[in-house]
Every structure is written in C-alpha cells, then in structure tokens.
Amino acid sequence: MPYTIKYIAKTVIESGYSPIEISEILRTEVFPVVESNLRHPAGECWGFKLDWLEETILGTGKRQTAEQQSSTAQFIREDSSKVCVYLPAGFAK
C-alpha cells in the first residue's frame, strides 16, 4: 500500500495539474466511475484496466459526485490525506 500511495502522489505531481484541478478531477470525473467499487467490501483488488477507466471517465452520462455519497466521500478524504503526505504543500487539505 505505501508503494501505491507514493506512486499516486508521483503521478499527481507529474500530471502538471494544479491542486484545485486535481481535486475537481477526483470529485467529478474519477469518483463517479469508481465509487461503487469503493463501497463494495471486496472491491477491485487488481486495479482497473487503463483503457476501460479512461473510456468510462471521458464518456458521457449522469454520475454522482463525491459530495452526493457522503460515506464514500469520507473514505476518499481519508485516503487522500495519505497521498498528500507525499505531495507539495499546495496539494494538502
């Protein structure tokens, strides 16, 4: 898990997106696609296929945002704080 967290932080930094943009992408693009997996007790332990994830995130359709799923949003905030340890100060919340 620590390797995954460091990898996520490295990817965020290398993306070139600002802290505000990263937060918006997480809330409105990524979360709606993976939120059902986050709520499932077993979840996807092998990761998502990149092609599928990109197609689904970039696709159209009505989705919930992180604010609309409060229990899952709390889960995301807790994991995000673990990633923020490895990010520059502007990314920490």
Side-chain angles (χ1 to χ4, degrees):
M1 179 83 147
Y3 172 77
T4 301
I5 290 170
K6 288 178 182 179
Y7 177 78
I8 292 169
K10 179 179 180 280
T11 302
V12 167
I13 292 167
E14 291 175 352
S15 74
Y17 289 109
S18 72
I20 292 171
E21 290 169 319
I22 291 293
S23 178
E24 185 70 12
I25 290 167
L26 176 63
R27 285 186 315 100
T28 64
E29 297 178 26
V30 178
F31 173 82
V33 171
V34 300
E35 65 91 14
S36 63
N37 183 71
L38 294 171
R39 289 187 286 117
H40 192 280
E44 175 55 62
C45 59
W46 299 108
F48 297 97
K49 292 185 184 233
L50 185 57
D51 291 341
W52 173 86
L53 192 59
E54 286 178 356
E55 282 179 28
T56 308
I57 288 171
L58 298 174
T60 60
K62 186 175 180 179
R63 300 183 183 122
Q64 293 184 352
T65 64
E67 291 80 19
Q68 293 170 314
Q69 258 318 326
S70 61
S71 63
T72 309
Q74 177 61 33
F75 174 79
I76 289 173
R77 279 191 295 275
E78 290 169 5
D79 273 8
S80 293
S81 67
K82 294 174 188 172
V83 173
C84 285
V85 169
Y86 299 100
L87 294 173
F91 286 90
K93 287 192 170 194

Coordinates of all heavy atoms in Angstrom, one line a residue:
M1 N 0.8 -1.2 0.0 CA 0.0 0.0 0.0 C 0.9 1.3 0.0 O 0.6 2.2 -0.7 CB -1.0 0.0 1.2 CG -1.8 1.2 1.3 SD -3.3 1.1 0.2 CE -4.4 2.0 1.2
P2 N 1.9 1.4 0.8 CA 2.7 2.6 0.8 C 3.3 2.9 -0.6 O 3.4 4.0 -1.1 CB 3.9 2.3 1.8 CG 3.3 1.3 2.7 CD 2.4 0.5 1.9
Y3 N 3.7 1.8 -1.4 CA 4.2 2.0 -2.7 C 3.1 2.6 -3.6 O 3.4 3.5 -4.4 CB 4.7 0.7 -3.3 CG 5.0 0.8 -4.8 CD1 6.2 1.4 -5.2 CD2 4.2 0.4 -5.8 CE1 6.6 1.5 -6.5 CE2 4.5 0.5 -7.1 CZ 5.7 1.1 -7.5 OH 6.0 1.2 -8.8
T4 N 1.9 2.1 -3.5 CA 0.8 2.6 -4.3 C 0.5 4.1 -4.0 O 0.3 4.9 -4.9 CB -0.5 1.8 -4.0 OG1 -0.2 0.4 -4.3 CG2 -1.7 2.3 -4.8
I5 N 0.6 4.5 -2.7 CA 0.3 5.8 -2.3 C 1.4 6.7 -2.9 O 1.1 7.8 -3.4 CB 0.2 6.0 -0.8 CG1 -1.1 5.3 -0.3 CG2 0.3 7.4 -0.3 CD1 -1.2 5.1 1.2
K6 N 2.7 6.3 -2.8 CA 3.8 7.1 -3.4 C 3.6 7.2 -4.9 O 3.9 8.3 -5.5 CB 5.1 6.5 -3.0 CG 5.5 6.7 -1.5 CD 6.8 6.0 -1.2 CE 7.1 6.1 0.3 NZ 8.4 5.5 0.6
Y7 N 3.2 6.1 -5.5 CA 3.0 6.2 -7.0 C 1.9 7.1 -7.4 O 2.1 7.9 -8.3 CB 2.7 4.8 -7.5 CG 2.4 4.7 -9.0 CD1 3.5 4.8 -9.9 CD2 1.1 4.7 -9.4 CE1 3.2 4.8 -11.2 CE2 0.9 4.7 -10.8 CZ 1.9 4.7 -11.7 OH 1.7 4.7 -13.0
I8 N 0.8 7.1 -6.6 CA -0.3 8.1 -6.9 C 0.2 9.5 -6.7 O 0.0 10.4 -7.6 CB -1.5 7.8 -6.0 CG1 -2.1 6.5 -6.3 CG2 -2.5 8.9 -6.1 CD1 -3.1 6.0 -5.3
A9 N 1.0 9.8 -5.7 CA 1.5 11.1 -5.4 C 2.4 11.5 -6.6 O 2.3 12.7 -7.1 CB 2.2 11.2 -4.1
K10 N 3.3 10.7 -7.0 CA 4.2 10.9 -8.1 C 3.4 11.2 -9.4 O 3.7 12.2 -10.1 CB 5.1 9.8 -8.3 CG 6.1 9.9 -9.4 CD 7.0 8.6 -9.5 CE 8.0 8.7 -10.6 NZ 7.5 8.4 -11.9
T11 N 2.4 10.5 -9.7 CA 1.6 10.7 -10.9 C 0.9 12.0 -10.8 O 0.8 12.7 -11.8 CB 0.6 9.5 -11.0 OG1 1.3 8.3 -11.1 CG2 -0.3 9.7 -12.3
V12 N 0.4 12.4 -9.6 CA -0.3 13.7 -9.5 C 0.6 14.8 -9.8 O 0.3 15.8 -10.5 CB -0.9 13.8 -8.1 CG1 -1.4 15.2 -7.8 CG2 -2.1 12.9 -7.9
I13 N 1.8 14.8 -9.2 CA 2.8 15.8 -9.4 C 3.2 15.9 -10.9 O 3.3 17.0 -11.4 CB 4.1 15.5 -8.5 CG1 3.7 15.7 -7.0 CG2 5.2 16.5 -8.9 CD1 4.8 15.2 -6.1
E14 N 3.5 14.8 -11.5 CA 3.9 14.8 -12.9 C 2.8 15.2 -13.9 O 3.0 15.5 -15.0 CB 4.4 13.4 -13.3 CG 5.8 13.1 -12.6 CD 6.3 11.7 -12.8 OE1 5.5 10.9 -13.4 OE2 7.4 11.4 -12.4
S15 N 1.5 15.1 -13.4 CA 0.4 15.5 -14.3 C 0.4 16.9 -14.7 O -0.1 17.2 -15.8 CB -0.9 15.2 -13.6 OG -1.2 16.2 -12.6
G16 N 1.0 17.8 -13.9 CA 1.0 19.2 -14.2 C -0.3 19.9 -13.9 O -0.4 21.1 -14.0
Y17 N -1.2 19.2 -13.3 CA -2.5 19.9 -12.9 C -2.3 20.6 -11.5 O -1.5 20.1 -10.7 CB -3.6 18.8 -12.8 CG -4.1 18.3 -14.1 CD1 -3.9 17.0 -14.4 CD2 -4.9 19.1 -14.9 CE1 -4.3 16.5 -15.6 CE2 -5.4 18.6 -16.1 CZ -5.1 17.3 -16.5 OH -5.5 16.8 -17.7
S18 N -3.0 21.6 -11.3 CA -2.9 22.4 -10.1 C -3.7 21.6 -9.0 O -4.5 20.7 -9.3 CB -3.6 23.7 -10.2 OG -5.0 23.6 -10.3
P19 N -3.4 21.9 -7.7 CA -4.2 21.2 -6.6 C -5.7 21.3 -6.8 O -6.4 20.4 -6.6 CB -3.7 22.0 -5.4 CG -2.4 22.4 -5.7 CD -2.4 22.8 -7.2
I20 N -6.2 22.5 -7.3 CA -7.6 22.7 -7.5 C -8.1 21.8 -8.6 O -9.2 21.2 -8.5 CB -8.0 24.2 -7.7 CG1 -7.7 25.0 -6.5 CG2 -9.4 24.3 -8.2 CD1 -7.8 26.5 -6.6
E21 N -7.4 21.7 -9.7 CA -7.7 20.9 -10.8 C -7.8 19.4 -10.4 O -8.7 18.6 -10.8 CB -6.8 21.1 -12.0 CG -6.9 22.4 -12.6 CD -5.8 22.7 -13.6 OE1 -4.7 22.4 -13.4 OE2 -6.2 23.3 -14.7
I22 N -6.8 19.0 -9.6 CA -6.7 17.6 -9.2 C -7.9 17.3 -8.3 O -8.6 16.2 -8.5 CB -5.4 17.3 -8.4 CG1 -4.2 17.3 -9.3 CG2 -5.5 16.0 -7.6 CD1 -4.1 16.2 -10.3
S23 N -8.3 18.1 -7.4 CA -9.5 17.9 -6.6 C -10.7 17.8 -7.4 O -11.6 17.0 -7.2 CB -9.6 19.1 -5.6 OG -10.7 18.9 -4.8
E24 N -10.9 18.7 -8.4 CA -12.1 18.7 -9.3 C -12.1 17.4 -10.1 O -13.2 16.8 -10.3 CB -12.0 19.9 -10.2 CG -13.2 20.1 -11.0 CD -14.5 20.5 -10.3 OE1 -14.4 20.8 -9.1 OE2 -15.6 20.4 -10.9
I25 N -11.0 17.0 -10.6 CA -10.9 15.8 -11.4 C -11.3 14.6 -10.6 O -12.1 13.7 -11.0 CB -9.5 15.6 -12.0 CG1 -9.3 16.6 -13.1 CG2 -9.3 14.1 -12.6 CD1 -7.8 16.7 -13.6
L26 N -10.8 14.5 -9.3 CA -11.2 13.4 -8.4 C -12.7 13.4 -8.1 O -13.3 12.4 -8.3 CB -10.4 13.5 -7.1 CG -10.7 12.5 -6.1 CD1 -10.4 11.1 -6.6 CD2 -10.0 12.8 -4.8
R27 N -13.2 14.6 -7.8 CA -14.6 14.6 -7.4 C -15.6 14.4 -8.5 O -16.6 13.7 -8.4 CB -15.0 16.0 -6.8 CG -14.5 16.2 -5.4 CD -14.9 17.6 -4.8 NE -14.8 18.7 -5.7 CZ -15.8 19.3 -6.4 NH1 -17.0 18.8 -6.3 NH2 -15.6 20.3 -7.2
T28 N -15.3 14.9 -9.7 CA -16.3 14.9 -10.8 C -16.1 14.0 -11.9 O -17.0 13.7 -12.7 CB -16.5 16.4 -11.4 OG1 -15.3 16.7 -12.0 CG2 -16.9 17.4 -10.3
E29 N -14.8 13.4 -12.0 CA -14.5 12.5 -13.1 C -14.2 11.1 -12.6 O -14.7 10.1 -13.1 CB -13.4 13.1 -14.0 CG -13.7 14.4 -14.6 CD -12.6 15.0 -15.4 OE1 -11.7 14.2 -15.9 OE2 -12.6 16.2 -15.6
V30 N -13.2 11.0 -11.7 CA -12.8 9.7 -11.2 C -13.8 9.1 -10.3 O -14.2 7.9 -10.4 CB -11.4 9.8 -10.6 CG1 -10.9 8.4 -10.1 CG2 -10.4 10.3 -11.6
F31 N -14.2 9.8 -9.2 CA -15.1 9.3 -8.2 C -16.3 8.7 -8.8 O -16.7 7.5 -8.4 CB -15.4 10.3 -7.2 CG -16.5 9.9 -6.2 CD1 -16.1 9.1 -5.1 CD2 -17.8 10.2 -6.4 CE1 -17.1 8.7 -4.2 CE2 -18.8 9.8 -5.5 CZ -18.4 9.0 -4.5
P32 N -17.0 9.4 -9.7 CA -18.3 8.8 -10.2 C -18.1 7.4 -10.9 O -19.0 6.6 -10.9 CB -18.8 9.8 -11.2 CG -18.1 11.1 -10.8 CD -16.8 10.7 -10.2
V33 N -16.9 7.2 -11.4 CA -16.7 5.9 -12.1 C -16.3 4.8 -11.2 O -16.7 3.7 -11.4 CB -15.6 6.1 -13.2 CG1 -15.1 4.8 -13.8 CG2 -16.0 7.1 -14.3
V34 N -15.6 5.1 -10.1 CA -15.1 4.0 -9.2 C -15.8 4.0 -7.9 O -15.5 3.1 -7.1 CB -13.6 4.2 -9.0 CG1 -12.8 4.1 -10.3 CG2 -13.3 5.5 -8.2
E35 N -16.8 4.8 -7.7 CA -17.5 4.9 -6.4 C -18.2 3.6 -6.0 O -18.1 3.2 -4.8 CB -18.4 6.1 -6.2 CG -19.6 6.0 -7.2 CD -20.8 5.4 -6.5 OE1 -20.8 5.2 -5.3 OE2 -21.7 5.0 -7.3
S36 N -18.8 2.9 -6.9 CA -19.4 1.6 -6.5 C -18.4 0.6 -6.0 O -18.6 -0.2 -5.1 CB -20.3 1.1 -7.6 OG -19.5 0.7 -8.7
N37 N -17.2 0.6 -6.7 CA -16.1 -0.3 -6.2 C -15.6 0.1 -4.8 O -15.3 -0.8 -4.0 CB -15.0 -0.2 -7.2 CG -13.8 -1.1 -6.9 OD1 -14.0 -2.3 -7.0 ND2 -12.8 -0.6 -6.4
L38 N -15.6 1.4 -4.5 CA -15.1 1.8 -3.2 C -16.1 1.3 -2.1 O -15.7 1.1 -1.0 CB -15.0 3.3 -3.2 CG -13.9 3.9 -4.1 CD1 -14.0 5.4 -4.1 CD2 -12.5 3.5 -3.6
R39 N -17.4 1.2 -2.4 CA -18.4 0.8 -1.4 C -18.5 -0.7 -1.3 O -19.0 -1.1 -0.3 CB -19.7 1.4 -1.8 CG -19.8 2.9 -1.6 CD -21.2 3.4 -1.8 NE -21.6 3.4 -3.3 CZ -22.6 2.7 -3.8 NH1 -23.3 1.9 -3.1 NH2 -22.8 2.8 -5.1
H40 N -17.9 -1.4 -2.2 CA -18.0 -2.9 -2.2 C -17.0 -3.4 -1.2 O -15.8 -3.0 -1.3 CB -17.8 -3.5 -3.6 CG -18.2 -4.9 -3.7 ND1 -17.3 -5.9 -3.3 CD2 -19.3 -5.5 -4.1 CE1 -17.9 -7.1 -3.4 NE2 -19.1 -6.8 -4.0
P41 N -17.3 -4.4 -0.3 CA -16.4 -4.9 0.7 C -15.1 -5.4 0.0 O -14.0 -5.2 0.5 CB -17.2 -6.0 1.4 CG -18.6 -5.6 1.2 CD -18.7 -4.9 -0.1
A42 N -15.2 -6.2 -1.1 CA -14.0 -6.8 -1.7 C -13.4 -5.8 -2.6 O -12.2 -5.7 -2.7 CB -14.4 -8.0 -2.5
G43 N -14.2 -5.0 -3.4 CA -13.6 -4.0 -4.3 C -12.7 -4.7 -5.4 O -12.6 -5.9 -5.5
E44 N -12.2 -3.8 -6.2 CA -11.3 -4.3 -7.3 C -9.9 -4.3 -6.8 O -9.2 -3.3 -6.7 CB -11.4 -3.4 -8.5 CG -10.5 -3.7 -9.6 CD -10.6 -5.1 -10.1 OE1 -11.6 -5.5 -10.6 OE2 -9.6 -5.8 -10.0
C45 N -9.4 -5.5 -6.4 CA -8.0 -5.5 -5.8 C -6.9 -5.6 -6.8 O -5.8 -5.4 -6.5 CB -7.9 -6.7 -4.8 SG -8.3 -8.3 -5.6
W46 N -7.2 -5.8 -8.1 CA -6.2 -5.9 -9.1 C -6.0 -4.7 -9.9 O -5.3 -4.6 -10.9 CB -6.5 -7.1 -10.1 CG -6.5 -8.4 -9.3 CD1 -7.6 -9.1 -9.0 CD2 -5.4 -9.1 -8.7 NE1 -7.3 -10.2 -8.3 CE2 -5.9 -10.2 -8.1 CE3 -4.1 -8.8 -8.7 CZ2 -5.1 -11.1 -7.5 CZ3 -3.3 -9.8 -8.0 CH2 -3.8 -10.9 -7.4
G47 N -6.8 -3.6 -9.6 CA -6.7 -2.4 -10.3 C -7.7 -2.4 -11.5 O -8.3 -3.4 -11.8
F48 N -7.8 -1.3 -12.1 CA -8.7 -1.1 -13.3 C -7.8 -1.1 -14.6 O -6.7 -0.6 -14.6 CB -9.4 0.2 -13.2 CG -10.4 0.2 -12.0 CD1 -10.0 0.9 -10.9 CD2 -11.6 -0.3 -12.1 CE1 -10.8 1.0 -9.8 CE2 -12.5 -0.3 -11.0 CZ -12.1 0.4 -9.8
K49 N -8.4 -1.7 -15.6 CA -7.7 -1.6 -16.9 C -7.7 -0.2 -17.4 O -8.8 0.5 -17.4 CB -8.4 -2.5 -18.0 CG -8.3 -4.0 -17.6 CD -8.9 -4.8 -18.7 CE -8.8 -6.2 -18.3 NZ -8.2 -7.1 -19.2
L50 N -6.6 0.4 -17.7 CA -6.4 1.8 -18.1 C -7.4 2.2 -19.2 O -8.0 3.2 -19.1 CB -5.0 2.1 -18.4 CG -4.7 3.6 -18.7 CD1 -5.1 4.4 -17.5 CD2 -3.2 3.7 -19.0
D51 N -7.4 1.4 -20.3 CA -8.3 1.7 -21.4 C -9.8 1.9 -20.9 O -10.5 2.8 -21.3 CB -8.2 0.7 -22.5 CG -6.9 0.7 -23.2 OD1 -6.2 1.7 -23.1 OD2 -6.6 -0.3 -23.8
W52 N -10.3 0.9 -20.1 CA -11.6 1.0 -19.7 C -11.8 2.2 -18.8 O -12.8 2.9 -18.9 CB -12.0 -0.3 -18.8 CG -13.3 -0.2 -18.2 CD1 -14.5 -0.5 -18.8 CD2 -13.6 0.3 -16.9 NE1 -15.5 -0.3 -17.9 CE2 -15.0 0.3 -16.7 CE3 -12.8 0.8 -15.8 CZ2 -15.6 0.7 -15.5 CZ3 -13.4 1.2 -14.7 CH2 -14.8 1.1 -14.5
L53 N -10.9 2.4 -17.9 CA -11.0 3.6 -17.0 C -11.1 4.9 -17.7 O -11.9 5.7 -17.5 CB -9.9 3.6 -16.0 CG -10.0 4.5 -14.8 CD1 -11.2 4.2 -13.9 CD2 -8.7 4.4 -13.9
E54 N -10.2 5.1 -18.7 CA -10.1 6.3 -19.5 C -11.4 6.5 -20.3 O -12.0 7.5 -20.3 CB -9.0 6.3 -20.4 CG -7.6 6.6 -19.8 CD -6.5 6.5 -20.7 OE1 -6.7 6.2 -21.9 OE2 -5.3 6.8 -20.3
E55 N -11.9 5.4 -20.9 CA -13.1 5.5 -21.7 C -14.3 5.8 -20.8 O -15.2 6.6 -21.2 CB -13.4 4.1 -22.4 CG -12.6 3.9 -23.6 CD -12.9 2.5 -24.3 OE1 -14.0 2.0 -24.1 OE2 -12.0 2.0 -24.9
T56 N -14.4 5.2 -19.7 CA -15.5 5.4 -18.8 C -15.5 6.8 -18.2 O -16.5 7.5 -18.1 CB -15.5 4.4 -17.7 OG1 -15.5 3.1 -18.3 CG2 -16.8 4.5 -16.8
I57 N -14.3 7.3 -17.8 CA -14.2 8.6 -17.2 C -14.5 9.7 -18.3 O -15.2 10.7 -18.0 CB -12.8 8.9 -16.6 CG1 -12.6 8.1 -15.4 CG2 -12.5 10.4 -16.4 CD1 -11.2 8.1 -14.8
L58 N -14.0 9.5 -19.5 CA -14.2 10.5 -20.5 C -15.6 10.4 -21.2 O -16.0 11.3 -22.0 CB -13.1 10.4 -21.6 CG -11.7 10.7 -21.0 CD1 -10.7 10.4 -22.1 CD2 -11.6 12.1 -20.5
G59 N -16.3 9.3 -20.9 CA -17.6 9.1 -21.5 C -18.7 10.1 -20.9 O -18.4 10.9 -20.0
T60 N -19.9 10.0 -21.5 CA -20.9 10.9 -21.0 C -21.9 10.1 -20.2 O -21.9 8.8 -20.2 CB -21.7 11.5 -22.2 OG1 -22.3 10.4 -23.0 CG2 -20.8 12.4 -23.0
G61 N -22.7 10.7 -19.4 CA -23.7 10.1 -18.6 C -23.8 10.7 -17.3 O -22.8 11.3 -16.8
K62 N -24.9 10.6 -16.6 CA -25.2 11.2 -15.3 C -24.5 10.3 -14.3 O -24.6 9.1 -14.2 CB -26.7 11.2 -15.0 CG -27.0 11.9 -13.8 CD -28.5 12.1 -13.6 CE -28.7 12.8 -12.3 NZ -30.1 13.0 -12.1
R63 N -23.7 11.0 -13.4 CA -23.0 10.3 -12.3 C -23.1 11.1 -11.1 O -23.2 12.3 -11.1 CB -21.5 10.2 -12.7 CG -21.3 9.4 -14.0 CD -19.8 9.2 -14.2 NE -19.5 8.5 -15.4 CZ -18.8 9.0 -16.4 NH1 -18.3 10.2 -16.3 NH2 -18.7 8.3 -17.5
Q64 N -22.9 10.4 -9.9 CA -22.9 11.2 -8.7 C -21.5 11.8 -8.5 O -20.5 11.3 -8.9 CB -23.2 10.2 -7.5 CG -24.6 9.7 -7.5 CD -24.8 8.8 -6.3 OE1 -23.9 8.5 -5.5 NE2 -26.1 8.4 -6.1
T65 N -21.5 12.9 -7.7 CA -20.2 13.4 -7.3 C -19.9 13.0 -5.9 O -20.7 12.4 -5.3 CB -20.2 15.0 -7.4 OG1 -21.2 15.4 -6.4 CG2 -20.6 15.5 -8.7
A66 N -18.6 13.2 -5.5 CA -18.2 12.8 -4.2 C -19.1 13.3 -3.1 O -19.4 12.7 -2.1 CB -16.8 13.2 -3.9
E67 N -19.6 14.6 -3.2 CA -20.4 15.2 -2.2 C -21.8 14.5 -2.1 O -22.4 14.6 -1.0 CB -20.7 16.7 -2.5 CG -19.4 17.5 -2.4 CD -18.5 17.5 -3.6 OE1 -19.0 17.1 -4.7 OE2 -17.4 17.8 -3.5
Q68 N -22.2 13.8 -3.1 CA -23.5 13.2 -3.1 C -23.5 11.8 -2.4 O -24.5 11.2 -2.2 CB -24.1 13.0 -4.5 CG -24.4 14.4 -5.1 CD -24.7 14.3 -6.6 OE1 -24.0 13.6 -7.3 NE2 -25.8 14.9 -7.0
Q69 N -22.3 11.3 -2.1 CA -22.1 10.0 -1.5 C -21.3 10.2 -0.2 O -20.1 9.9 -0.2 CB -21.4 9.0 -2.4 CG -22.1 8.0 -3.1 CD -23.1 7.2 -2.5 OE1 -23.1 6.9 -1.3 NE2 -24.1 6.8 -3.2
S70 N -21.9 10.7 0.8 CA -21.1 11.2 2.0 C -20.2 10.1 2.6 O -19.1 10.4 3.0 CB -22.0 11.8 3.0 OG -23.0 10.8 3.5
S71 N -20.7 8.9 2.8 CA -19.9 7.8 3.4 C -18.7 7.5 2.6 O -17.6 7.3 3.1 CB -20.7 6.6 3.7 OG -21.1 6.0 2.5
T72 N -18.8 7.4 1.3 CA -17.7 7.1 0.4 C -16.8 8.4 0.3 O -15.6 8.2 0.2 CB -18.2 6.7 -1.0 OG1 -19.2 5.7 -0.9 CG2 -17.1 6.2 -1.9
A73 N -17.4 9.5 0.3 CA -16.6 10.8 0.3 C -15.6 10.8 1.5 O -14.5 11.2 1.4 CB -17.5 12.0 0.3
Q74 N -16.1 10.4 2.6 CA -15.2 10.3 3.8 C -14.1 9.3 3.6 O -12.9 9.6 3.9 CB -16.1 9.9 5.1 CG -15.2 9.7 6.3 CD -14.6 11.0 6.8 OE1 -15.1 12.1 6.6 NE2 -13.4 10.9 7.3
F75 N -14.4 8.2 3.0 CA -13.3 7.2 2.7 C -12.3 7.9 1.8 O -11.1 7.7 2.0 CB -14.0 6.0 2.0 CG -13.0 5.0 1.5 CD1 -12.5 4.1 2.3 CD2 -12.7 4.9 0.1 CE1 -11.6 3.1 1.8 CE2 -11.9 4.0 -0.4 CZ -11.3 3.1 0.5
I76 N -12.7 8.6 0.8 CA -11.8 9.3 -0.2 C -10.9 10.3 0.6 O -9.7 10.4 0.3 CB -12.5 9.9 -1.3 CG1 -13.1 8.8 -2.2 CG2 -11.7 10.9 -2.1 CD1 -14.0 9.3 -3.3
R77 N -11.6 11.1 1.4 CA -10.8 12.1 2.2 C -9.7 11.5 3.0 O -8.6 11.9 3.1 CB -11.7 12.9 3.1 CG -12.5 14.0 2.3 CD -13.2 15.0 3.3 NE -14.2 14.3 4.0 CZ -15.5 14.2 3.6 NH1 -15.8 14.7 2.4 NH2 -16.4 13.6 4.3
E78 N -10.0 10.3 3.7 CA -9.0 9.6 4.5 C -7.9 9.1 3.6 O -6.7 9.3 4.0 CB -9.7 8.5 5.2 CG -10.6 9.0 6.3 CD -11.5 7.8 6.9 OE1 -11.3 6.6 6.5 OE2 -12.3 8.1 7.7
D79 N -8.2 8.5 2.5 CA -7.1 8.0 1.6 C -6.3 9.2 1.0 O -5.1 9.1 0.8 CB -7.6 7.1 0.6 CG -7.7 5.7 1.1 OD1 -7.5 5.4 2.3 OD2 -8.0 4.8 0.3
S80 N -7.0 10.3 0.6 CA -6.4 11.4 0.0 C -5.3 12.0 1.0 O -4.3 12.4 0.6 CB -7.4 12.5 -0.4 OG -8.2 12.0 -1.4
S81 N -5.7 12.0 2.3 CA -4.7 12.6 3.2 C -3.4 11.7 3.3 O -2.4 12.3 3.5 CB -5.4 12.7 4.6 OG -5.6 11.4 5.1
K82 N -3.5 10.4 3.0 CA -2.3 9.6 3.0 C -1.5 10.0 1.8 O -0.2 10.0 1.9 CB -2.7 8.1 2.9 CG -3.4 7.6 4.1 CD -3.9 6.2 3.9 CE -4.8 5.7 5.1 NZ -5.4 4.4 4.8
V83 N -2.1 10.3 0.7 CA -1.4 10.6 -0.5 C -0.7 12.0 -0.4 O 0.4 12.3 -0.8 CB -2.3 10.6 -1.8 CG1 -1.5 11.2 -3.0 CG2 -2.8 9.2 -2.1
C84 N -1.5 12.9 0.3 CA -1.0 14.3 0.5 C 0.3 14.4 1.2 O 1.1 15.4 1.0 CB -2.1 15.2 1.2 SG -3.4 15.6 0.1
V85 N 0.6 13.4 2.0 CA 1.9 13.4 2.7 C 3.1 13.5 1.7 O 4.1 14.0 2.0 CB 2.0 12.1 3.6 CG1 3.4 11.9 4.2 CG2 1.0 12.1 4.7
Y86 N 2.9 12.9 0.6 CA 4.0 12.9 -0.4 C 3.8 13.9 -1.5 O 4.6 13.9 -2.5 CB 4.0 11.5 -1.1 CG 4.2 10.4 -0.1 CD1 3.2 9.6 0.4 CD2 5.5 10.1 0.4 CE1 3.4 8.6 1.4 CE2 5.7 9.1 1.3 CZ 4.7 8.4 1.8 OH 4.9 7.4 2.7
L87 N 2.9 14.9 -1.3 CA 2.7 15.9 -2.3 C 3.2 17.3 -1.8 O 3.3 17.5 -0.6 CB 1.2 16.1 -2.6 CG 0.5 14.9 -3.3 CD1 -1.0 15.1 -3.4 CD2 1.1 14.7 -4.7
P88 N 3.5 18.2 -2.7 CA 3.9 19.5 -2.2 C 2.8 20.2 -1.4 O 1.7 19.8 -1.5 CB 4.1 20.3 -3.5 CG 4.4 19.3 -4.6 CD 3.6 18.1 -4.1
A89 N 3.2 21.2 -0.6 CA 2.3 21.8 0.4 C 1.0 22.3 -0.3 O -0.1 22.2 0.3 CB 2.9 22.9 1.1
G90 N 1.0 22.7 -1.5 CA -0.2 23.3 -2.1 C -1.3 22.2 -2.3 O -2.5 22.6 -2.5
F91 N -1.0 20.9 -2.3 CA -2.0 19.9 -2.5 C -2.6 19.4 -1.3 O -3.7 18.8 -1.3 CB -1.3 18.7 -3.2 CG -1.0 18.9 -4.6 CD1 0.3 19.4 -5.0 CD2 -1.8 18.6 -5.6 CE1 0.6 19.6 -6.3 CE2 -1.5 18.8 -7.0 CZ -0.3 19.3 -7.3
A92 N -2.1 19.7 -0.1 CA -2.6 19.2 1.2 C -3.9 20.0 1.5 O -4.0 21.2 1.2 CB -1.6 19.3 2.3
K93 N -4.8 19.3 2.1 CA -6.1 20.0 2.5 C -6.1 20.0 4.0 O -5.7 19.2 4.7 CB -7.3 19.2 2.0 CG -7.4 19.5 0.5 CD -8.8 19.0 0.1 CE -9.0 19.4 -1.3 NZ -10.4 19.3 -1.7

